[in-house]
Amino acid sequence: MRHLLLLFFFACFMNSTFGQKTADSIPKKEKKIELRVMPYISYNRNLDFMFGAIPMAMYKVNQADTISPKSLSGMSAIYTTNKSYALAFFNKWYLNEDKWRLKLFFFNGNQNSQFYVDDIDQPDFYDYGTKITVISVGGQRKIVGKFYGGLSYTYSHYNTVYEDDISPSSVSHSNALVVNLLYDTRDAVYYPTKGYKIKLDWSTYPDFLDNELASNRISFQANRYIPTRENKDVIATRVFGKFGLGNVAFEQQSTIGGTDIRGYSEGKYRGAGLMDVQGEYRYNFAKKMGLVGFFGIATIYGSDTPSFDWKIYPGGGVGYRYNPFKKSKFNVGLDGAVGKGDWGVYFRIGEAF
């Protein structure tokens, strides 16, 4: 899945009639900004019931630019019945005939979650609470053809308290620099029906940026989109890997769940690195509605519970999609998935991948 919510300026259009023309005979002018407010309702075994609102706007930064995709700005305000909360502002901007892609994101929240501990007398889940503040800014520039290169910076601040003092409380921060390469042949950025998205990220947390634990992380993703059923439906496939190098802080560990892979909401399986493969069929039975079916497998390494390392963790399920926008294909929806001894319900903003 960004900035303090952009001020939304709305253009007012007035229709006039001439002679005997009716209102239906006059072509409607497309709005410069499509604004939608989506309710958020979800549930998982970790955060319990979640509810909130997500206003979003899609627009052209330059109305004369017919090549760049529409930009997206929005915010989300979510509260859960386990007393977690999240407030986020997000932006994705596409500029200069898609030669530049910029992003800005701000997040503040309190996550009351859990993790699994087995190196004690009574192995079990233990609760922890983390107050989190994150701000991230980045950009990509087209290099040649469909290749982009980019750089981003992310500042994160964590204040973590553990149940029963199972681990010492900690206050920490990190400063990450991320260098990325992207190969993008998708026919659309929000709902691709064909093409590839292949991305390589190198994230570094160096000493000179005042990081308490210097480390590096490499992530790789390769998504492919294949049209089917006379271009009405899409088969989407994904290969993903995230590899932590050096001293990986607890808050920076990878957890099975969410995009990689749905069906795990307890936060049990986490480690220094994660790998997965998955596929999804996107069945569009109406102009603005569709269903999805998905399945994948994942594995982790570097877990604090060594018996979790390099095991196979399958997950799969089904979901519903709805497009709230008139001029753009951008879905929201709800997924239900089952994993190995776990399950989850996910509210989606856009597709899973």
Side-chain angles (χ1 to χ4, degrees):
M1 353 150 199
R2 293 176 170 182
H3 173 49
L4 292 177
L5 185 64
L6 290 178
L7 296 175
F8 298 125
F9 296 97
F10 297 94
C12 298
F13 302 100
M14 299 186 64
N15 294 324
S16 302
T17 56
F18 298 93
Q20 299 299 315
K21 289 184 179 179
T22 64
D24 292 337
S25 67
I26 301 172
K28 293 182 179 179
K29 190 174 181 180
E30 182 179 350
K31 292 183 178 180
K32 293 182 179 180
I33 298 177
E34 283 192 90
L35 176 65
R36 297 291 183 271
V37 180
M38 301 300 302
Y40 183 99
I41 301 175
S42 191
Y43 175 85
N44 68 39
R45 301 172 71 186
N46 192 358
L47 299 174
D48 297 335
F49 285 99
M50 297 170 276
F51 54 92
I54 304 176
M56 299 180 294
M58 298 188 75
Y59 54 93
K60 287 277 191 179
V61 175
N62 180 358
Q63 296 296 318
D65 184 352
T66 60
I67 296 177
S68 295
K70 285 187 175 182
S71 297
L72 175 69
S73 297
M75 68 170 291
S76 61
I78 299 169
Y79 183 79
T80 79
T81 52
N82 83 340
K83 298 182 180 179
S84 298
Y85 67 86
L87 178 66
F89 300 90
F90 53 89
N91 290 279
K92 290 183 178 180
W93 293 298
Y94 298 89
L95 308 171
N96 193 17
E97 298 183 341
D98 204 17
K99 292 184 177 68
W100 285 96
R101 297 179 174 185
L102 308 179
K103 66 175 184 178
L104 192 56
F105 171 70
F106 173 81
F107 174 90
N108 181 262
N110 182 37
Q111 181 183 12
N112 296 315
S113 189
Q114 62 183 10
F115 70 112
Y116 189 79
V117 181
D118 73 338
D119 57 351
I120 56 175
D121 293 337
Q122 294 182 328
D124 202 350
F125 285 101
Y126 285 83
D127 293 336
Y128 70 92
T130 300
K131 294 181 179 179
I132 310 169
T133 300
V134 177
I135 184 166
S136 181
V137 58
Q140 291 177 321
R141 177 67 164 87
K142 181 178 286 188
I143 302 171
V144 61
K146 298 295 183 178
F147 283 94
Y148 293 78
L151 179 68
S152 64
Y153 165 77
T154 300
Y155 171 80
S156 305
H157 185 274
Y158 309 99
N159 185 345
T160 304
V161 178
Y162 299 89
E163 178 189 18
D164 297 334
D165 295 323
I166 193 71
S167 290
S169 301
S170 64
V171 178
S172 63
H173 65 269
S174 66
N175 295 274
L177 291 176
V178 183
V179 179
N180 61 73
L181 293 173
L182 171 67
Y183 176 67
D184 189 357
T185 65
R186 296 171 296 170
D187 58 340
V189 295
Y190 298 119
Y191 190 87
T193 62
K194 60 182 179 180
Y196 291 86
K197 179 186 178 183
I198 302 173
K199 189 178 181 183
L200 178 66
D201 289 351
W202 173 54
S203 304
T204 182
Y205 302 82
D207 286 326
F208 70 84
L209 285 181
D210 192 30
N211 287 295
E212 297 175 10
L213 293 176
S215 64
N216 293 274
R217 186 171 62 196
I218 296 173
S219 65
F220 171 81
Q221 62 174 287
N223 302 345
R224 186 184 180 188
Y225 307 92
I226 305 168
T228 186
R229 204 168 68 91
E230 297 180 347
N231 297 322
K232 295 179 181 179
D233 300 341
V234 180
I235 297 173
T237 62
R238 175 178 173 88
V239 177
F240 177 81
K242 183 183 290 185
F243 312 97
L245 308 172
N247 296 316
V248 179
F250 174 81
E251 292 88 355
Q252 297 169 9
Q253 290 179 336
S254 300
T255 305
I256 298 178
T259 299
D260 302 284
I261 254 174
R262 285 162 283 181
Y264 294 84
S265 61
E266 289 185 310
K268 183 175 183 178
Y269 304 108
R270 59 189 301 146
L274 178 151
M275 291 168 281
D276 70 77
V277 294
Q278 57 181 310
E280 181 170 294
Y281 190 94
R282 298 170 181 171
Y283 172 62
N284 296 298
F285 63 86
K287 185 176 180 180
K288 285 188 167 291
M289 291 186 288
L291 300 173
V292 300
F294 50 88
F295 178 80
I297 56 174
T299 190
I300 59 172
Y301 72 88
S303 173
D304 294 333
T305 304
S307 61
F308 292 166
D309 288 347
W310 303 113
K311 299 295 176 61
I312 298 299
Y313 301 98
V318 296
Y320 168 78
R321 297 290 183 269
Y322 173 73
N323 179 18
F325 292 95
K326 293 182 179 180
K327 300 296 182 178
S328 303
K329 181 67 172 178
F330 184 92
N331 285 339
V332 298
L334 200 65
D335 291 340
V338 177
K340 183 178 180 179
D342 202 352
W343 57 274
V345 177
Y346 307 87
F347 185 90
R348 298 235 65 89
I349 302 294
E351 298 301 333
F353 58 88

